[in-house]
């Protein structure tokens, strides 16, 4: 039995997300904790590295749709891994804060070119019926990458973070580039159809084609300009950005908080992060099993409350059980909600301009990506602990629940009119 090529792309995308998670996203907090101790740099300054990652992604966002169309997803991802590896090589030689920011700049370009955005654009073109499932399975790589955190932490303690950074550069090239070569932008490149079904008739010659009938049923696809004029575009962006306040703050500062504020060792803190990513994997699997049957915005709204409550558990933890609850609530919410973000936008606006719509959305959500680590780092430097900053971020994240509840599908309005 022939396997639909789209599922092979899902597998490659999952592997690519695993690399991003294991080498950078989950490991970043360990780099911050060790650099703060070794170099004496402030938490705000180190959080600026995460800001560089987010700002660069936002600036590149609107361009990525054009770059995908111009060069193809596979080429863009391969180029991205080149920048990604260059960032780690630079990081392994860092002696100054400026050098640290330069390494983050390389990684930001690499992560943008080879990460979530181009992979999501490819998958929403390959899948419709199983879109949420495909995106959730891709997100499983992000979650499973965190399971490698104890190994990364052990390697940093055994061999030093500089050697780990250099090894990460090698892994990015040796493993990442072959995975990138599997990816294709759309089913037509492989002579297949969406979801692996029978090839659709040409809409230009068959006025009553299935694709046109589907468009009438669901409502027309939106251009980027049309999407910008809908409340849903801005509400989804705001909700997504508020979620990333917590996600990025935790990625950057959670290990330092547990190490300095709660007196846990780096190895013990890494175990908590591992539990968090196991819960994240559970959330991803739940989304893969049920995501195409649920109203995704209600699920996303519930996840915002879990993000907020989980962060409060981390902030005021007085017992390991509270850290476990943080890991389960935050990790599960991240895993369930994350893949729904692209699926929601594809459901709401169609595929006509999905690349540009996702790129423009990146500008909005980048405010959350940038602000989360900076707010937490600033208050930690001023007050001596993370309680004020984390509490503020938890309250803001909770308001994101309403953003998703109010973000109604604009296609419903078109159908009714």
């Amino acid at each position: 039995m022939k396997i639909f090529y789209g599922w092979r792309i899902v597998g490659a995308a999952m592997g690519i997300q695993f690399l991003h998670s294991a080498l950078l996203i989950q490991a970043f907090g360990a780099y911050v904790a060790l650099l703060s101790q070794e170099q004496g740099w402030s938490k705000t300054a180190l959080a600026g590295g995460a800001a560089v990652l987010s700002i660069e992604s936002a600036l590149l966002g609107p361009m990525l749709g054009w770059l995908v169309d111009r060069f193809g997803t596979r080429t863009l991802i391969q180029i991205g891994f080149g920048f990604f590896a260059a960032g780690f090589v630079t990081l392994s030689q860092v002696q100054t804060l400026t050098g640290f920011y330069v390494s983050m700049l390389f990684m930001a370009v690499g992560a943008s070119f080879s990460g979530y955005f181009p992979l999501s654009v490819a998958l929403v073109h390959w899948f419709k019926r199983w879109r949420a499932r495909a995106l959730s399975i891709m997100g499983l790589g992000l979650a499973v990458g965190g399971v490698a955190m104890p190994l990364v932490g052990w390697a940093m303690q055994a061999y030093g973070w500089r050697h780990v950074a250099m090894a990460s550069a090698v892994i990015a090239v040796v493993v990442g580039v072959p995975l990138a070569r599997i990816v294709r932008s759309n089913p037509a490149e492989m002579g297949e159809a969406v979801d692996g079904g029978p090839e659709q008739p040409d809409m230009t010659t068959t006025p009553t084609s299935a694709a046109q009938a589907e468009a009438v049923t669901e409502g027309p696809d939106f251009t980027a300009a049309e999407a910008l004029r809908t409340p849903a575009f801005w509400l989804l962006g705001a909700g997504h950005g508020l979620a990333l306040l917590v996600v990025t703050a935790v990625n950057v500062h959670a290990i330092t908080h547990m190490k300095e504020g709660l007196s846990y060792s780096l190895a013990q803190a890494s175990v908590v992060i591992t539990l968090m990513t196991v819960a994240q994997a559970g959330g991803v699997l739940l989304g893969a099993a049920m995501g195409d049957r649920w109203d995704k915005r209600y699920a996303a709204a519930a996840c915002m409350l879990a993000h907020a409550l989980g962060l409060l558990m981390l902030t005021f933890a007085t017992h390991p059980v509270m850290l476990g609850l943080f890991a389960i609530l935050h990790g599960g919410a991240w895993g369930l909600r994350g893949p729904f973000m692209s699926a929601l936008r594809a459901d709401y606006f169609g595929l006509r301009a999905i690349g540009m719509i996702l790129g423009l959305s990146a500008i909005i959500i980048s405010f959350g990506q940038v602000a989360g680590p900076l707010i937490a780092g600033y208050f930690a430097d001023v007050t001596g602990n993370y309680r004020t900053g984390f509490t503020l971020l938890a309250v803001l994240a909770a308001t994101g629940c309403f953003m998703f509840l109010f973000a109604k599908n604009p296609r419903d309005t078109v159908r009714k009119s």
Side-chain angles (χ1 to χ4, degrees):
M1 179 179 177
K2 182 182 178 182
I3 299 176
F4 175 46
Y5 195 84
W7 293 115
R8 298 184 186 182
I9 296 176
V10 170
M14 183 173 66
I16 290 170
Q17 289 283 275
F18 172 84
L19 292 178
H20 280 242
S21 176
L23 301 181
L24 178 61
I25 296 173
Q26 303 294 352
F28 189 82
Y31 283 115
V32 168
L34 293 173
L35 282 166
S36 177
Q37 178 180 334
E38 179 181 308
Q39 302 290 341
W41 298 334
S42 73
K43 296 176 179 62
T44 306
L46 287 165
V52 171
L53 290 171
S54 301
I55 292 171
E56 184 67 20
S57 298
L59 293 176
L60 289 174
M63 294 176 55
L64 287 176
W66 177 84
L67 289 171
V68 167
D69 292 338
R70 176 67 177 83
F71 298 104
T73 306
R74 178 174 56 168
T75 300
L76 193 66
I77 294 174
Q78 291 180 90
I79 293 171
F81 271 114
F83 278 102
F84 199 59
F88 277 110
V89 171
T90 306
L91 178 62
S92 71
Q93 307 300 314
V94 159
Q95 298 293 341
T96 66
L97 192 58
T98 300
F100 175 66
Y101 289 155
V102 170
S103 71
M104 291 299 106
L105 183 62
F106 277 119
M107 289 187 201
V109 175
S112 295
F113 280 22
S114 64
Y116 182 79
F117 178 92
L119 293 171
S120 295
V121 171
L123 290 182
V124 299
H125 280 91
W126 276 88
F127 294 92
K128 181 183 181 298
R129 182 182 179 190
W130 306 114
R131 183 175 290 155
R133 178 169 297 181
L135 289 166
S136 293
I137 293 173
M138 178 184 78
L140 186 61
L142 196 67
V144 174
V147 178
M149 184 57 218
L151 178 61
V152 174
W154 169 82
M156 287 183 178
Q157 289 185 325
Y159 301 105
W161 62 268
R162 294 184 186 275
H163 288 95
V164 171
M166 184 61 75
S168 297
V170 175
I171 294 171
V173 174
V174 172
V175 181
V177 173
L179 288 173
R181 295 183 64 83
I182 298 173
V183 180
R184 298 293 189 278
S185 298
N186 58 69
E189 291 187 30
M190 300 299 293
E192 298 197 36
V194 175
D195 289 325
E199 192 169 350
Q200 297 291 344
D202 186 347
M203 290 180 61
T204 62
T205 59
T206 311
T208 58
S209 69
Q212 285 180 315
E214 182 180 287
V216 171
T217 302
E218 292 197 345
D221 285 2
F222 287 70
T223 65
E226 290 168 342
L228 286 170
R229 291 196 290 270
T230 66
F233 175 88
W234 299 99
L235 288 168
L236 289 177
H240 194 175
L242 289 169
L244 292 185
L245 280 173
V246 176
V247 170
T248 54
V250 166
N251 288 345
V252 174
H253 296 291
I255 290 178
T256 303
H257 171 60
M258 286 184 278
K259 187 171 178 287
E260 297 181 1
L262 304 180
S263 300
Y264 288 89
S265 68
L266 179 61
Q268 290 171 325
S270 297
V271 171
V272 176
I273 299 301
T274 299
L275 178 59
M276 180 191 80
T277 56
V278 170
Q280 184 185 356
V284 169
L285 292 173
L286 180 61
M290 303 297 294
D292 294 291
R293 304 175 189 175
W294 291 352
D295 189 322
K296 301 178 187 69
R297 66 189 177 97
Y298 290 138
C303 287
M304 295 303 296
L305 297 179
H307 278 306
L309 183 57
L311 183 57
L312 290 175
M313 288 290 177
L314 172 65
T315 304
F316 298 102
T318 56
H319 192 277
V321 171
M322 295 181 72
L323 291 178
L325 289 173
F326 147 72
I328 292 170
L329 287 168
H330 173 66
W334 186 10
L336 178 60
R337 176 197 53 75
F340 285 4
M341 299 298 93
S342 293
L344 268 170
R345 292 181 176 99
D347 292 346
Y348 277 28
F349 305 115
L351 303 182
R352 178 180 176 185
I354 189 62
M356 181 58 71
I357 289 170
L358 289 176
L360 292 170
S361 298
I363 298 176
I364 302 173
I365 67 177
S366 69
F367 286 100
Q369 290 176 294
V370 172
L374 290 178
I375 289 172
Y378 170 76
F379 280 106
D381 286 333
V382 170
T383 67
N385 61 66
Y386 284 99
R387 289 190 174 185
T388 302
F390 278 177
T391 302
L392 176 60
L393 294 178
V395 172
L396 290 172
T399 65
C401 172
F402 299 102
M403 303 298 174
F404 287 112
L405 289 177
F406 294 142
K408 296 182 178 180
N409 193 335
R411 284 176 154 184
D412 291 341
T413 304
V414 173
R415 282 198 293 267
K416 291 175 183 178
S417 62

